[in-house]
Each structure stands twice: as structure tokens, then as C-alpha cells.
Amino acid sequence: MDHIYQHFRQEERHFIDQASEWKESVMNSYAPKLTDFLDPREQEMVKAVVGSSTDVCLQFSGENMERKRALLYPDYFVPSHEDFQLSLLEIGYPSKFVSIEHRQVLGALMSLGLKRSKFGDLLFSGDRIQLVAAKETESFLLMNLTEIGRAKVSLSALDWSERILHVDEMLEKTATVSSLRLDAVAASVYNISRQKIGALVQTGYVKVNFRVIEQPSFECREGDTLSVRGHGRSKILSIDGRTKKDKWKISYGIQK
């Protein structure tokens, strides 16, 4: 496993070990293994674990989706959409009188006791809101998700073909930073003072690769996805070396 570990951070080894167990399970049982929803970083780690194995194949659910379920399966198996066990739910609410934000939907779902890994993307288009969830949670959600914020809501199950298509657009920019510390990079990317970013980091409002990081000194790497609550998401596209003044040149994309 050392050859895989070296490409990821120390704190990510637990997930790599878990993905390795999934792979071994498929090899030993000769049967497919379906995971919960994985964020993009976890998907990357599963890909690394499965690698170019001829014994275990890998496929992810849903094109143009951020959070996906992974299906690991033996070479004889031919996966179909149904094997991913996805539920598409539309959230009905009095849109003429109230508005519902992403964070409110997320909060309502978590308040029901659901793990984040049991539901995928939240899709917005105008007044329409859809939720992608694990099929095994569909009945529970239809019965229990009745309120978001102060708005009464109702859910209805839809066919997958009715899914709202949404693609995040990134505006590419460049910057020079004094170091690759999280507080230095985020301050430059979001045009916020380093002191304020440091406070946001320490209060748990900043994530790197979808994980809360509370150390301002955390070192950013190429490919990292950053998000700051209330300020959106960005991604470090490349680290382009040092300037003559010994600063780091970076290229990044920021969500429009």
C-alpha cells in the first residue's frame, strides 16, 4: 500500500484502507460492492486503489454529478443504472412566498439523523430543487422531510431522466502567495485578510478536499479543493514555482 499512500495525506490513509477492503471483498466473494456517496477526493482515492486491476472493475454513478456512489465489481458483471440504487426526489415548497438555500436543505437532512454519505448532490434550477439520495433512504425521506427552515415541504419521487442538469463553472485566475499555508492561499484566493481567514479556519468554516481543516498552517497542494463558508469554492489548478522574491505562483479556479 505504500505506493498508494505516498500520493495522499496521512489523514487520508484510513479511507484508503477502507477502499482496499472493498476491493478485497469483491475479489473474495466474486460479487459487486456498492458504496455510499463519495466526494470527488474519495472517488480519486478509490480509483488509485483499484488502479489497473484486472480482477476488479470500477464505475461511478451519475454523469455531471459531484458526489457519486462507486460500484466495484468482478469482470463478468455488467453494471446498469439500477445497480447504483439512486433515488431522485423533487422538493415541493411555496416558492412564491419563501426561498430555500442549499445550506438549509443540507441542515434539514442532517437534522433527520442521516449521514452525509447517504445523499448526493442538491440540484437547483430557478425555483426547482431536487435531491439525489440512496434508494434505501427514499421511504424515510418521503415520510420525514416535511420542513426546511420555516417552510413546509413535500417530496415526490421522479424518474432519473427528469434530473436537473447543473454544471459548476470556474473562473481561472493566477496569484502569488507568500507560502502554501492554508491561511495565505485562501486569503489571496478569496481576497480576505489573512487574519480573518485564520479566524474562519479555526472556527471550522474552511474545508480542504471536503474536510474541515482547523489549522491555518495546513499546507495546500496542487489539485486541492478549498471552500470557505459564505465565500464559495475554489480549486488549486497548479503550483507554478517561485518568483524572484521567493513567493509561490499559483493558478486557481474560483466558482462563478
Side-chain angles (χ1 to χ4, degrees):
M1 293 294 293
D2 288 345
H3 66 290
I4 298 177
Y5 286 152
Q6 66 182 344
H7 297 293
F8 299 97
R9 293 187 169 98
Q10 178 74 29
E11 61 269 20
E12 294 173 320
R13 290 189 176 187
H14 174 73
F15 182 83
I16 292 171
D17 292 340
Q18 185 178 39
S20 297
E21 291 176 5
W22 296 337
K23 179 180 177 181
E24 290 178 12
S25 172
V26 174
M27 293 173 65
N28 294 333
S29 66
Y30 212 51
K33 167 66 180 177
L34 179 64
T35 74
D36 284 340
F37 287 95
L38 309 176
D39 63 42
R41 183 65 170 181
E42 291 169 334
Q43 294 166 33
E44 183 182 343
M45 287 188 275
V46 173
K47 288 179 184 177
V49 169
V50 174
S52 56
S53 171
T54 57
D55 298 315
V56 178
C57 303
L58 173 66
Q59 192 168 315
F60 293 100
S61 63
E63 295 180 4
N64 300 319
M65 304 293 284
E66 180 176 274
R67 301 180 67 88
K68 302 178 182 181
R69 301 187 86 169
L71 186 67
L72 290 77
Y73 56 95
D75 56 6
Y76 77 87
F77 189 82
V78 180
S80 66
H81 173 76
E82 287 70 26
D83 293 311
F84 290 98
Q85 295 292 295
L86 301 175
S87 175
L88 178 65
L89 302 171
E90 181 120 2
I91 300 173
Y93 66 102
S95 58
K96 290 183 179 180
F97 306 103
V98 297
S99 60
I100 294 178
E101 299 179 357
H102 186 283
R103 61 180 179 82
Q104 293 174 307
V105 182
L106 190 61
L109 290 165
M110 301 297 281
S111 71
L112 294 176
L114 280 179
K115 293 181 179 179
R116 184 63 182 93
S117 60
K118 286 299 181 182
F119 54 95
D121 289 7
L122 304 178
L123 310 173
F124 288 75
S125 179
D127 293 335
R128 295 183 69 192
I129 306 174
Q130 293 178 350
L131 160 67
V132 180
K135 192 71 174 179
E136 60 267 24
T137 68
E138 183 180 291
S139 297
F140 175 81
L141 287 168
L142 289 171
M143 183 177 298
N144 292 283
L145 187 59
T146 58
E147 193 171 6
I148 297 176
R150 296 183 178 180
K152 297 294 183 181
V153 303
S154 60
L155 268 63
S156 55
L158 302 180
D159 184 81
W160 189 252
S161 62
E162 300 176 83
R163 177 171 57 100
I164 294 170
L165 297 179
H166 175 72
V167 179
D168 285 334
E169 294 185 17
M170 287 276 188
L171 179 64
E172 294 189 17
K173 295 186 175 184
T174 60
T176 56
V177 294
S178 58
S179 78
L180 296 177
R181 284 172 51 116
L182 177 57
D183 56 354
V185 173
S188 180
V189 168
Y190 293 99
N191 194 26
I192 301 173
S193 73
R194 191 162 173 176
Q195 183 179 11
K196 183 177 180 180
I197 278 291
L200 291 172
V201 172
Q202 291 174 331
T203 50
Y205 286 1
V206 178
K207 293 183 179 181
V208 179
N209 296 327
F210 308 91
R211 298 289 184 272
V212 172
I213 301 296
E214 296 181 344
Q215 298 80 38
S217 61
F218 182 90
E219 185 174 319
C220 295
R221 297 181 182 178
E222 188 170 292
D224 282 350
T225 296
L226 314 181
S227 60
V228 179
R229 189 181 300 183
H231 297 276
R233 184 180 298 170
S234 62
K235 184 173 184 177
I236 301 175
L237 302 175
S238 63
I239 296 174
D240 305 314
R242 292 182 180 272
T243 67
K244 291 181 179 179
K245 294 185 178 180
D246 207 31
K247 291 189 174 184
W248 288 97
K249 296 185 291 183
I250 64 170
S251 299
Y252 64 93
I254 191 162
Q255 199 173 47
K256 291 184 179 179

